[in-house]
Amino acid sequence: MTHVTTEVARPREAVGPLIRGLVVLRELAAAGGRGSASGLVRETGLARSTVDRSLSTLARLGYVRPDGRDTVLTPQVMELGNAYLTACGLPDLLGAIAERLADDLDESVWITVPDRDGVRFVHQASRRRAMSVAFRVGDLLPAQCGVGGALFAAEWTEDEWRSRRQGGATGGGFAALSRGVGEAAGSFEERITRARRDGWALDDRLLEPGLVAVAMPVRDRTGRQACAVSVVSHTSRHSAGSLREAVLPRLREAVAAMEDVPATAVTPRAPAMPRERAAKRELGAEFVESFARGLGVITALGGS
């Protein structure tokens, strides 16, 4: 059993109640969105009073609801995760170009970003085809499985590569794992070398049976990879090689257009502090105002 600890190095300005509340929320999510207070105490190592107050605060904010002896996540909790997808600006800035590319090619187009040793989906322009793709916006894959992973890994430092090679992709922290982690890991270094040389990467049925994809990086003004754009098809329409030949010229044009899009700042909206003060007056010690305010700041970063 793995216990989540809150005794970690953190900046002096970190808010302890927010960190502890997020630990409770993360453990509840890891348990499939349902858990008992006693189970959360056991898994987090936090005091029962801390867990109870965190759950009471989350319930008052609408992120969880009681269900018998359990606590269950509500759909509203998605706004916390979606705050990153909005605040990073990529779906708004690049989504329209991805949609046009999908229309032009009549294929699905995905935008992914690097997330430590993984690849996270932030936008999908899907086409209705008989593809058994089980991944959604927000899902995280090990870098060796996502077609953009070879592109991102091509810029890992020696220290990053060493630590990630030692850690491997065992499934911990990855909400979405493909069938071919072992097979993908075996060819990862070779695919990184090719991606570094060619400037694009190819997935030949590594992510899903019958799925092929070609991806290119989109770079910001400093030359850093901001994201990767993938054109995804099925072997009923293309082999990996024929997909590359069919879409790479148009994909290059779309990437160039994306790199020409000016970056725009996202203006945070003000957190709803009056609501939290009212909840504090109503619930007293059962409502952790600093935890609620911290969540308000997170969601405020996600919108203009």
Side-chain angles (χ1 to χ4, degrees):
M1 180 184 302
T2 301
H3 290 275
V4 179
T5 178
T6 58
E7 298 301 322
V8 296
R10 61 192 186 206
R12 182 179 301 175
E13 64 273 17
V15 179
L18 173 61
I19 292 175
R20 291 189 288 272
L22 288 174
V23 167
V24 171
L25 189 58
R26 182 175 62 184
E27 187 57 44
L28 189 56
R34 173 186 291 270
S36 65
S38 58
L40 292 169
V41 168
R42 183 172 59 252
E43 294 298 329
T44 64
L46 295 170
R48 176 61 185 258
S49 60
T50 298
V51 170
D52 285 344
R53 294 178 68 208
S54 296
L55 292 177
S56 177
T57 302
L58 290 167
R60 185 64 173 79
L61 296 173
Y63 293 135
V64 303
R65 61 176 175 82
D67 185 8
R69 295 185 176 181
D70 288 345
T71 296
V72 181
L73 292 177
T74 69
Q76 187 176 333
V77 79
M78 294 176 65
E79 74 179 17
L80 296 174
N82 287 343
Y84 165 72
L85 301 181
T86 305
C88 74
L90 293 176
D92 286 340
L93 289 172
L94 308 182
I97 299 175
E99 297 287 345
R100 287 198 298 272
L101 179 62
D103 288 340
D104 290 348
L105 298 175
D106 195 25
E107 301 286 1
S108 293
V109 173
W110 297 349
I111 298 177
T112 57
V113 295
D115 189 340
R116 291 179 294 183
D117 56 347
V119 173
R120 192 174 295 276
F121 295 94
V122 297
H123 184 81
Q124 291 182 347
S126 298
R127 292 297 170 265
R128 294 183 177 181
R129 303 201 182 287
M131 292 197 303
S132 59
V133 180
F135 310 120
R136 302 158 297 179
V137 168
D139 279 346
L140 179 67
L141 286 174
Q144 59 262 50
C145 294
V147 64
L151 297 169
F152 301 141
E155 296 189 352
W156 285 353
T157 66
E158 285 296 326
D159 288 342
E160 287 173 330
W161 177 245
R162 189 181 305 108
S163 64
R164 288 160 184 172
R165 178 190 290 164
Q166 291 169 350
T170 61
F174 294 103
L177 277 174
S178 75
R179 65 180 181 96
V181 176
E183 182 181 354
S187 63
F188 194 37
E189 292 190 51
E190 179 184 351
R191 288 184 286 119
I192 291 170
T193 300
R194 290 202 301 266
R196 189 179 291 120
R197 179 195 66 204
D198 300 333
W200 48 266
L202 202 63
D203 179 352
D204 188 358
R205 296 164 292 175
L206 285 174
L207 185 61
E208 284 276 350
L211 186 147
V212 290
V214 60
M216 287 189 65
V218 177
R219 299 184 182 276
D220 62 20
R221 299 297 190 218
T222 69
R224 181 183 63 88
Q225 293 186 57
C227 63
V229 181
S230 310
V231 178
V232 184
S233 189
H234 193 269
T235 50
S236 61
R237 285 171 58 88
H238 282 290
S239 67
S242 71
L243 178 67
R244 180 197 65 222
E245 294 175 2
V247 309
L248 197 55
R250 185 65 186 87
L251 177 58
R252 284 197 175 102
E253 293 175 2
V255 166
M258 290 179 177
E259 292 178 342
D260 283 340
V261 173
T264 58
V266 177
T267 304
R269 62 179 181 271
M273 296 304 180
R275 177 190 66 169
E276 291 146 12
R277 294 194 187 102
K280 182 66 175 177
R281 286 195 297 268
E282 178 185 338
L283 298 177
E286 294 304 308
F287 186 82
V288 186
E289 192 171 1
S290 56
F291 177 29
R293 287 185 176 186
L295 295 178
V297 170
I298 291 173
T299 55
L301 294 174
S304 55

